[in-house]
Amino acid sequence: MQNIYNYTEEMLNEYLINLNLKPFRSKQIIEWLYRKKIDSFDEMTNISKEFILKLKEDFYIDLLKCIINQQSSDGTMKFLFELKDGNLIESVLMKNDYGYSLCVTSEVGCNMGCVFCASGMKKKKRNLETSEMVMQILSVEKIAKIRISHIVIMGIGEPFDNYDNVLNFIKIINNPLGLEIGARHITVSTCGIVDKIKEFADFPLQVNLALSLHAPTQSLREQIMPIAKAYNLVELMNSIKYYIEKTNRRVTIEYILLKDLNDTKECANNLADLLYGLNVYINLIPYNEVKEKPYKRSTKNSMIEFFDVLKKRKLNVQLRREQGSDIDAACGQLRSKHMN
Ligand code: SAH
């Protein structure tokens, strides 16, 4: 028995062909699942009883069990879900002027070990299945009674460490017959797995790529992000250049501002040197402090000074407003609190 939300249209077609059925059936199934959002195969009225029985033999339809649902004063909502095997994951729903966006978790825990991050305090237990990512969207839409228009794969986990499942997830939610979330409305964020960044350049959908850079030099990056020891900054920037050349798309650079660590004017100038001339958009992010960690958020002044240096050097940059900080919305905080 398989969770049917693991299946892309291609996979459903293959399943149908093996049963000697016409592939157009997959379009009907997708419509029922993602448009009409049925919770039982019996509701598929344009499908024969016989085929419904077969579907029921091979698949099940399910949603996630929500155990905590917090709402912030700014409208941000945080969900803690329990998976079938008892593992916990979180999703964050943000309300923007352009619609609702959901921050999706890609792994149970995370092995990347970024020193400032709450998620990494709990080691990775396993990859999420494609369906477990799809169900985050469907479950949140159902609970909050809204439609999600934007997806950021920036929750717990490193999406490029669960590459195949994440790509299938993107294909499923982008499918025009189903949830139809536009590729340009989907962002996948990586801490910098160089091989996968290169591979992702061949992915046919126009999805946004975000890189968690957080430091402008190898020595500083190594101090705060262990992944920098596996892939150095030169290799990393080369993979980004390759990606931009191959796809012609702008890459988002995420940069958390950590007090007295990576928020100096010297860092800003180094960052400008590193990124100058590249088709990138820099997102400066106020650090969400984590109780167990010594790192502090930069002062307003340092943030503005940092921003000004980049602006003066003609880089595309924005200082991101923060959301949901009164509800443990920083990566992994709710899950980690609940597990302790
Ligand atoms: N592993 C992926 C995606 C998950 S983390 C990545 O590294 O990009 C999503 C983003 O949140 C990353 O940029 C990460 O560095 C950042 N982040 C982690 N902890 C944070 C915190 N406490 N405050 C602000 N941003 C944080």
Side-chain angles (χ1 to χ4, degrees), residues 15 18 43 62 88 94 105 130 139 191-192 202 204 224 226 256 260 274 276 286 289-290 299 309 322:
Y15 165 81
N18 282 333
E43 294 172 55
D62 207 3
L88 302 175
M94 291 156 289
T105 285
T130 299
S139 305
C191 66
D202 290 323
I224 59 176
I256 307 177
D260 301 330
L274 186 71
Y276 188 79
E289 290 178 13
V290 178
T299 61
V309 170
E322 61 164 338

Short mmCIF file of all heavy atoms in Angstrom, two decimals, residues 15 18 43 62 88 94 105 130 139 191-192 202 204 224 226 256 260 274 276 286 289-290 299 309 322:
data_model
loop_
_atom_site.label_atom_id
_atom_site.label_comp_id
_atom_site.label_asym_id
_atom_site.label_seq_id
_atom_site.Cartn_x
_atom_site.Cartn_y
_atom_site.Cartn_z
N TYR A 15 1.85 3.35 -13.68
CA TYR A 15 0.99 2.41 -12.93
C TYR A 15 -0.19 1.98 -13.81
O TYR A 15 -0.54 0.80 -13.89
CB TYR A 15 0.53 3.10 -11.65
CG TYR A 15 -0.62 2.46 -10.93
CD1 TYR A 15 -0.40 1.36 -10.09
CD2 TYR A 15 -1.92 2.95 -11.06
CE1 TYR A 15 -1.47 0.77 -9.41
CE2 TYR A 15 -2.98 2.37 -10.38
CZ TYR A 15 -2.75 1.28 -9.56
OH TYR A 15 -3.80 0.70 -8.89
N ASN A 18 0.78 -0.34 -16.73
CA ASN A 18 0.99 -1.70 -16.24
C ASN A 18 -0.32 -2.45 -16.04
O ASN A 18 -0.36 -3.68 -16.07
CB ASN A 18 1.76 -1.70 -14.92
CG ASN A 18 3.23 -1.46 -15.16
OD1 ASN A 18 3.74 -1.78 -16.23
ND2 ASN A 18 3.91 -0.88 -14.18
N GLU A 43 -15.40 8.61 -3.72
CA GLU A 43 -15.99 9.85 -4.24
C GLU A 43 -15.70 10.09 -5.72
O GLU A 43 -16.23 11.01 -6.33
CB GLU A 43 -15.48 11.05 -3.42
CG GLU A 43 -15.95 11.03 -1.97
CD GLU A 43 -15.27 12.11 -1.15
OE1 GLU A 43 -15.35 13.29 -1.54
OE2 GLU A 43 -14.65 11.77 -0.12
N ASP A 62 -4.58 10.09 2.70
CA ASP A 62 -4.40 10.42 4.11
C ASP A 62 -4.04 11.89 4.26
O ASP A 62 -3.58 12.52 3.31
CB ASP A 62 -3.25 9.56 4.65
CG ASP A 62 -3.38 9.31 6.14
OD1 ASP A 62 -4.39 9.75 6.72
OD2 ASP A 62 -2.48 8.68 6.70
N LEU A 88 7.95 14.00 14.43
CA LEU A 88 7.29 15.30 14.39
C LEU A 88 7.93 16.20 13.33
O LEU A 88 9.15 16.22 13.19
CB LEU A 88 7.43 15.99 15.75
CG LEU A 88 6.86 15.24 16.96
CD1 LEU A 88 7.18 16.00 18.24
CD2 LEU A 88 5.34 15.06 16.82
N MET A 94 2.50 31.72 6.24
CA MET A 94 2.66 33.17 6.36
C MET A 94 1.66 33.88 5.44
O MET A 94 1.45 33.47 4.31
CB MET A 94 4.08 33.57 5.96
CG MET A 94 5.11 33.11 6.98
SD MET A 94 6.77 32.94 6.28
CE MET A 94 6.59 31.50 5.27
N THR A 105 8.74 21.59 5.47
CA THR A 105 9.86 20.80 5.99
C THR A 105 10.19 19.68 5.01
O THR A 105 9.29 19.09 4.41
CB THR A 105 9.44 20.21 7.36
OG1 THR A 105 9.50 21.25 8.34
CG2 THR A 105 10.34 19.08 7.79
N THR A 130 7.83 12.12 -0.41
CA THR A 130 7.16 13.15 -1.20
C THR A 130 5.77 13.45 -0.62
O THR A 130 5.39 14.61 -0.44
CB THR A 130 7.02 12.67 -2.66
OG1 THR A 130 8.34 12.44 -3.16
CG2 THR A 130 6.31 13.68 -3.51
N SER A 139 -2.95 19.58 4.30
CA SER A 139 -3.45 19.62 5.68
C SER A 139 -3.60 21.05 6.17
O SER A 139 -4.60 21.39 6.80
CB SER A 139 -2.50 18.85 6.61
OG SER A 139 -2.30 17.54 6.14
N CYS A 191 21.77 24.89 1.74
CA CYS A 191 22.94 25.42 2.45
C CYS A 191 24.18 25.34 1.57
O CYS A 191 25.25 25.78 1.97
CB CYS A 191 23.15 24.66 3.76
SG CYS A 191 23.58 22.94 3.50
N GLY A 192 24.03 24.75 0.36
CA GLY A 192 25.16 24.76 -0.57
C GLY A 192 25.74 23.40 -0.89
O GLY A 192 26.94 23.19 -0.78
N ASP A 202 19.53 21.55 -14.44
CA ASP A 202 18.86 20.83 -15.52
C ASP A 202 17.39 20.56 -15.24
O ASP A 202 16.69 20.00 -16.08
CB ASP A 202 19.54 19.48 -15.77
CG ASP A 202 20.90 19.66 -16.40
OD1 ASP A 202 21.03 20.58 -17.25
OD2 ASP A 202 21.83 18.93 -16.05
N PRO A 204 13.69 21.02 -15.32
CA PRO A 204 13.01 21.81 -16.35
C PRO A 204 12.08 22.92 -15.82
O PRO A 204 11.75 23.82 -16.57
CB PRO A 204 12.21 20.75 -17.12
CG PRO A 204 12.09 19.59 -16.20
CD PRO A 204 13.30 19.62 -15.32
N ILE A 224 30.68 28.76 10.86
CA ILE A 224 29.25 28.71 11.21
C ILE A 224 28.46 27.65 10.44
O ILE A 224 27.38 27.26 10.86
CB ILE A 224 28.57 30.10 11.08
CG1 ILE A 224 28.70 30.66 9.67
CG2 ILE A 224 29.15 31.07 12.10
CD1 ILE A 224 27.94 31.98 9.49
N PRO A 226 29.17 23.90 8.81
CA PRO A 226 30.07 22.78 8.55
C PRO A 226 30.09 22.34 7.08
O PRO A 226 31.11 21.85 6.61
CB PRO A 226 29.51 21.66 9.43
CG PRO A 226 28.74 22.35 10.50
CD PRO A 226 28.24 23.64 9.93
N ILE A 256 21.81 35.69 7.00
CA ILE A 256 21.31 36.01 8.34
C ILE A 256 22.30 36.94 8.99
O ILE A 256 23.51 36.70 8.93
CB ILE A 256 21.30 34.78 9.26
CG1 ILE A 256 20.57 33.62 8.64
CG2 ILE A 256 20.69 35.09 10.61
CD1 ILE A 256 20.66 32.41 9.56
N ASP A 260 27.98 40.94 15.69
CA ASP A 260 29.45 40.92 15.83
C ASP A 260 30.11 39.70 15.20
O ASP A 260 31.26 39.39 15.52
CB ASP A 260 29.86 40.98 17.31
CG ASP A 260 29.33 42.23 17.99
OD1 ASP A 260 29.17 43.25 17.28
OD2 ASP A 260 29.04 42.19 19.20
N LEU A 274 32.28 39.51 -3.39
CA LEU A 274 31.99 38.13 -3.78
C LEU A 274 30.86 38.06 -4.81
O LEU A 274 30.88 37.24 -5.72
CB LEU A 274 31.61 37.33 -2.52
CG LEU A 274 31.40 35.84 -2.68
CD1 LEU A 274 32.73 35.14 -2.94
CD2 LEU A 274 30.73 35.24 -1.45
N TYR A 276 29.54 40.68 -6.67
CA TYR A 276 29.47 41.73 -7.67
C TYR A 276 29.34 41.16 -9.08
O TYR A 276 30.06 40.25 -9.47
CB TYR A 276 30.70 42.65 -7.58
CG TYR A 276 30.53 43.83 -8.50
CD1 TYR A 276 29.73 44.90 -8.11
CD2 TYR A 276 31.11 43.83 -9.76
CE1 TYR A 276 29.52 45.96 -8.97
CE2 TYR A 276 30.90 44.89 -10.63
CZ TYR A 276 30.10 45.95 -10.22
OH TYR A 276 29.88 46.99 -11.08
N PRO A 286 16.96 39.14 9.65
CA PRO A 286 17.24 39.29 11.09
C PRO A 286 17.27 37.91 11.74
O PRO A 286 16.39 37.09 11.47
CB PRO A 286 16.05 40.09 11.62
CG PRO A 286 15.26 40.53 10.44
CD PRO A 286 15.65 39.68 9.27
N GLU A 289 16.56 34.60 17.49
CA GLU A 289 17.41 34.02 18.53
C GLU A 289 16.86 32.68 19.03
O GLU A 289 15.66 32.49 19.12
CB GLU A 289 17.58 35.01 19.68
CG GLU A 289 18.44 36.19 19.23
CD GLU A 289 18.62 37.26 20.30
OE1 GLU A 289 18.30 37.00 21.47
OE2 GLU A 289 19.09 38.35 19.93
N VAL A 290 17.77 31.77 19.33
CA VAL A 290 17.42 30.44 19.80
C VAL A 290 17.97 30.31 21.21
O VAL A 290 19.16 30.57 21.44
CB VAL A 290 18.06 29.35 18.89
CG1 VAL A 290 17.75 27.96 19.38
CG2 VAL A 290 17.61 29.54 17.44
N THR A 299 22.05 44.49 15.78
CA THR A 299 21.26 45.66 16.13
C THR A 299 20.65 46.26 14.86
O THR A 299 21.16 46.02 13.76
CB THR A 299 22.15 46.74 16.78
OG1 THR A 299 23.13 47.11 15.81
CG2 THR A 299 22.83 46.21 18.04
N VAL A 309 25.83 49.52 2.74
CA VAL A 309 27.06 49.20 2.02
C VAL A 309 26.73 48.48 0.71
O VAL A 309 27.23 48.82 -0.37
CB VAL A 309 28.00 48.31 2.87
CG1 VAL A 309 29.16 47.78 2.04
CG2 VAL A 309 28.52 49.08 4.07
N GLU A 322 10.57 40.29 9.67
CA GLU A 322 10.42 38.96 10.25
C GLU A 322 8.96 38.70 10.58
O GLU A 322 8.17 39.60 10.80
CB GLU A 322 11.27 38.81 11.49
CG GLU A 322 10.86 39.81 12.54
CD GLU A 322 11.42 39.44 13.89
OE1 GLU A 322 11.73 38.25 14.09
OE2 GLU A 322 11.52 40.33 14.72
#
